[in-house]
Amino acid sequence: MCYYISLLSEAQELEEFFDATYQGEPYHKEFRINGFANPKIPVILDRKPNHIIPAQWGFLPSWAKDREFAKKTLNARMEEVHDKPTFKNSVSNRCLIPVNGFHEWKHLDSKGKQKDNYLIKIKNQNIFTIGGLYNIWTDPSTDQELLTVTIGTTDANPLMAEIHNTKKRMPILLSKHNQYTWLDDVPVEYFLYPEYDPELEAENLTNTEGAATLF
């Protein structure tokens, strides 16, 4: 599953790439962003495609009692969202999550004690997007509203199945030419592998010989 993304691009770079305006507090920038910390990351909502705004990574449905629930909802299996109580009311709440890449680990032994870390990107794109869902959650203790998001996932393509060799999943990865189609409320099935298969490249960051290997 996708629990770590890479984003070092400044707001100005995102504005130029998306021809949109960034608004709100600063977002988290780091080579390896840990989703379990529920960081603020930039997103583009379907209802405001000309604006980039910060959102909490970790989805909170309306009935969530507190923010702790968000650690369980960093990802959403898009094959199941229509049936899952957490997501079924937000299938049409689409967002784009800009990244420079995402991290995944390949298990080198059956128990996962030895792993290789890979950075995966869409080929020839420094910035690309992940398809996500969002919900504006109201904190029952303070009445404060919080924009929350989750990353959509699908079955892995051959490259990702080789890397993510346990659960064999990957995020919904969108190239520049089709990213806004995700916001148009096209059925999620259109973006599931093998119907949709973006061209990816992966860099081994833990090569034992000290040199990166590019797939």
Side-chain angles (χ1 to χ4, degrees):
M1 307 296 275
C2 183
Y3 299 133
Y4 296 85
I5 60 174
S6 181
L7 181 62
L8 294 171
S9 293
E10 299 290 342
Q12 183 178 352
E13 295 177 76
L14 299 183
E15 289 180 326
E16 292 174 356
F17 183 85
F18 294 103
D19 192 21
T21 302
Y22 186 83
Q23 297 180 329
E25 64 185 288
Y27 55 85
H28 195 94
K29 294 192 294 290
E30 193 175 348
F31 179 67
R32 187 180 294 120
I33 298 174
N34 181 358
F36 290 103
N38 297 129
K40 288 293 180 71
I41 58 175
V43 301
I44 297 173
L45 305 185
D46 49 6
R47 61 187 186 180
K48 290 185 176 181
N50 296 322
H51 294 86
I52 309 167
I53 58 177
Q56 174 185 283
W57 184 7
F59 186 95
L60 290 170
S62 59
W63 42 263
K65 295 181 180 179
D66 56 49
R67 300 188 185 205
E68 283 302 306
F69 189 81
K71 296 191 185 327
K72 305 175 183 178
T73 55
L74 303 180
N75 295 169
R77 295 175 65 96
M78 297 311 294
E79 304 94 324
E80 303 174 354
V81 288
H82 294 286
D83 301 316
K84 291 290 185 180
T86 300
F87 303 115
K88 66 180 183 180
N89 293 326
S90 297
V91 175
S92 295
N93 291 352
R94 306 285 182 84
C95 65
L96 301 176
I97 302 170
V99 297
N100 300 129
F102 69 98
H103 294 266
E104 197 54 81
W105 280 259
K106 179 179 181 178
H107 286 214
L108 304 179
D109 61 84
S110 59
K111 295 184 178 180
K113 292 185 178 180
Q114 294 184 331
K115 303 176 185 178
D116 275 354
N117 174 211
Y118 286 85
L119 177 67
I120 299 101
K121 301 179 179 182
I122 287 184
K123 198 169 185 179
N124 300 321
Q125 275 199 222
N126 179 50
I127 298 172
F128 60 95
T129 59
I130 297 174
L133 304 179
Y134 70 90
N135 185 53
I136 299 175
W137 176 73
T138 301
D139 189 330
S141 64
T142 63
D143 288 330
Q144 179 185 2
E145 290 187 339
L146 180 67
L147 176 61
T148 69
V149 300
T150 187
I151 283 175
T153 69
T154 180
D155 287 333
N157 66 10
L159 172 60
M160 284 306 303
E162 173 69 20
I163 296 171
H164 196 209
N165 56 353
T166 53
K167 296 182 180 179
K168 298 190 177 183
R169 303 286 296 175
M170 70 178 188
I172 302 289
L173 303 174
L174 305 167
S175 59
K176 189 169 185 177
H177 79 274
N178 74 353
Q179 59 194 9
Y180 290 104
T181 306
W182 175 258
L183 300 184
D184 287 338
D185 206 19
V186 172
V188 296
E189 289 75 15
Y190 174 82
F191 296 93
L192 303 183
Y193 178 79
E195 179 72 21
Y196 174 66
D197 187 13
E199 189 176 6
L200 307 180
E201 60 183 16
E203 182 181 356
N204 185 347
L205 302 177
T206 52
N207 188 293
T208 56
E209 296 178 356
T213 301
L214 198 64
F215 278 84

